[in-house]
Every structure is written in structure tokens, then in C-alpha cells.
Amino acid sequence: MKFFEHKPFDARAVMGFGVLNGISIGLLNLSLGFNSVGFYQMTKLAIIPCTVLLETLFFRKIFSKTIQLSLTILLLGVGIATVTDLQLNALGSILSLLAVITTCIAQIMTNTIQKRFKVSSTQLLYQSCPYQALTLFIVGPFLDGLLTNQNVFAFKYTPQVLVFIVLSCLISVSVNFSTFLVIGKTSPVTYQVLGHLKTCLVLAFGYILLRDPFSWRNILGILIALVGMILYSYFCSVENQQKASESPAQLSQAKESESDPLINIENGSGIVNEGVVPKAPVWNSDKDLRA
């Protein structure tokens, strides 16, 4: 439909990224199925520190103490608002650990692939979605049958069910598009911050629209989380402004160094007299001349 330009690039990177994304989605759903809601929320909270750790170790990315403080406040608030019961089991814990690792790697890859191959979020999504869909289509029904003893294809799909499935798919496309766009333009950590904002909004809308039970603990947690999000946004904008102000200075220094007068090799002076053509340097075996 000509909304964007089709741009193929490294097929192996796209295939690996698509399959990894599909595995991540499957593991997150399995984690929710085998764990309590409280432990699943703890799993989601672990994605931010895990992402920070991976980017620090493998990409040498430095997170300032102010950014770390704002993320700590954010995680504390979301934890207070959402984490209720913590029921642990061995299989659920293993699935949660795998879900956190694969999700972090997939989101980091979303950012690095867009920058490395100079593709937009839409181009990356277009290239990787077939592999992601194929992975889920093969693995999903098999796991559903294994866990529930029911065949997903044997379900009676009424017109009403089909309408909601199509609606869900359309919403999922918009979610995927916004996810790739946000991660590509900002960072995986910023995307996770927005994800926790979504969690707070879900709680708030559930209370306002659906009259879900709400406690002072939920309100306190949401307020603390909002403070962390505001601090994170503020510190990120301050650091971006500092980087932007440093860039012109570095460019001017580079230009000055490029426009420096030629060095007189013979006498070591950095000044060249006007109107005098400098002599070509004569090779001297006694000296170590460096360009």
C-alpha cells in the first residue's frame, strides 16, 4: 500500500530476531500460566534491571546515578501497586527467568538492528513478523494441547468470537508497531518505563470504569511510580540536552584541528610564514618521523 519502503537486509539477523520474539511471547504467557499474578508482576519488574545489566555489560552503556535512582523509585511504586501474593514453584521460576532473558535480548535487538542496518521500525516489523508468526503458529497449538488437553482448532468459532479475534489482531498490530517505534527512537529501558505506566493506567481505569476493588496501597504505589517516571523523563531530557550541547563543541574542535597550519618538520615549529612555500621533508634515518 506504499505506506513505507520495503527494505530487505540481513536474512539471518531477521530470522533469528523473529524467532526470538516469538519465543519471548510464548514464555511470558507460560510464565503467567504457571505462576501467580503477583509473581508474574515481579517477573515484569525484573526486565528493567536485567536490560540495564545487559546493556552495561555487552554494549558498555553507562546509566547515570540519577537515572538509576528514578528507575528504582519507579520499580518500587509498581511493586507496591501490583505485587500481591508471591507463590513460588520450580517450573514457574525457570519459565519466568527464561522469559525475562529472552524479552530483554529481543528488545535490545529491536534497538540495535534498527540502528545497525538503518531501517525504520515498520521495515523491521515487516521483515520479522512472518518468522515470529510461524514460530507461534507451530509451537502455540502444540503447547495448548499439551497443557489443557484441548485442541484449539476444535473450538467452535462463532461470528462473535471471530469479530473479537480480528479486533484483537488489529490491536496487536498497533501494539507491535508502537513497540518497535518507541524502542527504535528511544531505548529498551524507556519502553519498559512506558510499559509500567500502562500497568498503572490499567489499574486506574479498572477502578474508574469497572469499579474494580482499589486500596490505599494501590494508590500509593501508583503515585510513587509516577514520581519515578517523571524523574526518569526529566533526567533523560537533561542528559540529552547536555549531549546535544557537547556535540557542536566537539565538531568545532575537530574543525579547528583540521585547519591547523602545517607543521614545519625541520624546525618543529607549528607556524608557516606567509608567502613561503614549505620545503618537502627530507628523510633522516636518525629520527623517527611520524605522520
Side-chain angles (χ1 to χ4, degrees), residues 46-62:
I47 293 176
I48 283 185
C50 182
T51 303
V52 170
L53 178 63
L54 290 177
E55 289 195 313
T56 302
L57 292 177
F58 295 101
F59 294 93
R60 298 292 187 266
K61 188 173 181 179
I62 300 175

Side-chain angles (χ1 to χ4, degrees), residues 231-249:
L231 289 175
Y232 177 81
S233 301
Y234 172 75
F235 292 136
C236 281
S237 62
V238 169
E239 291 185 3
N240 289 335
Q241 290 175 359
Q242 290 176 350
K243 291 179 181 178
S245 61
E246 289 174 359
S247 297

Side-chain angles (χ1 to χ4, degrees), residues 127-184:
Q127 291 288 330
S128 62
C129 262
Y131 301 106
Q132 180 178 333
L134 184 62
T135 302
L136 292 172
F137 184 77
I138 294 173
V139 177
F142 171 74
L143 287 178
D144 280 341
L146 185 65
L147 297 174
T148 64
N149 294 323
Q150 295 178 358
N151 189 346
V152 67
F153 299 107
F155 184 81
K156 185 179 180 181
Y157 292 95
T158 63
Q160 184 179 10
V161 171
L162 291 176
V163 167
F164 278 103
I165 289 177
V166 172
L167 180 62
S168 175
C169 289
L170 293 175
I171 294 174
S172 296
V173 169
S174 63
V175 169
N176 279 333
F177 178 76
S178 62
T179 297
F180 280 52
L181 185 64
V182 169
I183 295 177

Side-chain angles (χ1 to χ4, degrees), residues 194-215:
L194 288 175
H196 289 308
L197 174 60
K198 176 202 69 176
T199 302
C200 294
L201 291 175
V202 167
L203 291 174
F205 286 147
Y207 173 72
I208 296 171
L209 300 178
L210 305 177
R211 300 299 178 186
D212 288 341
F214 219 62
S215 65

Side-chain angles (χ1 to χ4, degrees), residues 8-21 105-106 108-110 112-114 116-117 119 123-125 127-129 131-132 180:
F9 53 99
D10 191 350
R12 289 182 300 176
V14 173
M15 183 182 299
F17 173 70
V19 172
L20 182 64
N21 250 327
I105 296 175
I108 292 173
M109 286 181 66
T110 302
T112 54
I113 287 178
Q114 290 186 52
R116 179 181 176 185
F117 295 103
V119 294
Q123 290 168 331
L124 176 58
L125 188 62
Q127 291 288 330
S128 62
C129 262
Y131 301 106
Q132 180 178 333
F180 280 52

Side-chain angles (χ1 to χ4, degrees), residues 251-265:
L251 287 174
S252 63
Q253 289 177 0
K255 290 181 180 179
E256 288 177 1
S257 63
E258 291 175 359
S259 61
D260 284 344
L262 295 174
I263 298 176
N264 192 323
I265 302 295

